[in-house]
Amino acid sequence: MFTKRNIIETAVINEFIRYTRLTPDDIYESIVAHGLDEQLERTPTNFIRSVCITIQRAFRKHDIRFFTFSAKLNSIHQYQMTKEARMFCEEHLQQPIYNENGEFESNYIQHPDSLKAKWRMLI
């Protein structure tokens, strides 16, 4: 269903929900912690930047500004999520997680592409 790239982006979006502000190193550590760093096709700095640009574009399709400034800038030392993006995620992308007994555990945020009609049919 989702590509490895979509899964990486989803993990990064969930990190932004937890912390709002992240450095490129924090983002890379999150990717490593999720075990998604195998065979990165680029250097970590360029890869992190491209992930952030892709996230920004995915939210722009829904008329939401994800970062407080453009992710395309080369001199970014810290990425910050907007309140508008946080509210959008909590209202439209948040899904519950249940344990094997059917009890509520926590929530996670889906990738914005999951709102597309063709993705909803697959879920």
Side-chain angles (χ1 to χ4, degrees), residues 6-22 27 30 34 36 51 55 59 66 81 86 89-90 93-95 97 106-112:
N6 290 124
I7 295 170
I8 290 170
E9 292 164 8
T10 302
V12 171
I13 292 168
N14 279 282
E15 282 298 301
F16 274 106
I17 291 294
R18 289 179 68 197
Y19 298 110
T20 306
R21 292 181 183 189
L22 295 171
I27 295 170
S30 170
H34 285 87
L36 300 169
V51 166
I55 291 170
F59 277 85
F66 191 81
M81 181 182 190
R86 176 178 289 280
C89 287
E90 291 171 353
L93 300 174
Q94 185 168 293
Q95 293 294 314
I97 298 174
S106 65
N107 290 310
Y108 74 98
I109 304 298
Q110 298 183 82
H111 194 281

Side-chain angles (χ1 to χ4, degrees), residues 22-30 45 48 77:
L22 295 171
T23 64
D25 290 336
D26 294 335
I27 295 170
Y28 184 71
E29 288 173 16
S30 170
T45 304
I48 297 305
H77 300 292

